[in-house]
Amino acid sequence: MDDRVNQMDFNFSADDLLEFPRDLGEEGWFQFHSEKKAAFQRIENKFGIVLNRRVRLRLRGCDEEFEGRLLLDSLVLPPPAAETVQLRLGRLTFENTDIDDFQTLD
């Protein structure tokens, strides 16, 4: 037999498993989820809004109040230099600067 180490001779103790993710796809999913959450937080802070939560809001020049889950109108995030962001509440689309007043409901 030659001097090379047989793969079966490696020490695969339980402690060594903690150094590697068990499922690389799962690790990638958690990283994606974490980055997505951080991006939404930056948008909320920059534009003074809350996303993916139920709100009641009034738009400038409109006496009617609208209720629903406030969402980004596009899956593409606004560039860092953006002054406004396009939002959606049900079928209604508008920019963050159109919001006169809002309150969260949940």
Side-chain angles (χ1 to χ4, degrees):
M1 188 163 155
D2 62 324
D3 292 335
R4 289 183 285 178
V5 176
N6 187 342
Q7 185 176 10
M8 298 305 292
D9 292 337
F10 288 126
N11 180 6
F12 288 109
S13 68
D15 291 340
D16 292 341
L17 292 177
L18 298 176
E19 295 177 21
F20 300 100
R22 290 190 180 137
D23 179 354
L24 294 176
E26 183 176 307
E27 181 73 16
W29 173 253
F30 286 126
Q31 183 176 354
F32 164 76
H33 217 326
S34 176
E35 290 174 5
K36 180 180 131 189
K37 185 176 179 180
F40 276 90
Q41 188 65 47
R42 286 192 304 272
I43 291 170
E44 289 177 340
N45 292 340
K46 179 176 181 175
F47 296 109
I49 56 175
V50 294
L51 293 171
N52 300 315
R53 294 180 58 191
R54 286 190 47 78
V55 297
R56 177 181 299 128
L57 59 79
R58 185 178 309 119
L59 299 175
R60 295 189 195 287
C62 185
D63 293 332
E64 184 180 354
E65 289 187 335
F66 303 96
E67 285 187 20
R69 189 167 304 277
L70 188 61
L71 304 169
L72 290 175
D73 190 44
S74 171
L75 294 177
V76 178
L77 296 177
E83 301 270 333
T84 63
V85 63
Q86 192 75 18
L87 302 169
R88 180 169 38 99
L89 191 72
R91 294 182 179 190
L92 182 66
T93 60
F94 51 93
E95 290 185 346
N96 64 299
T97 54
D98 296 329
I99 298 174
D100 186 36
D101 183 45
F102 81 92
Q103 64 188 73
T104 57
L105 300 177
D106 59 339

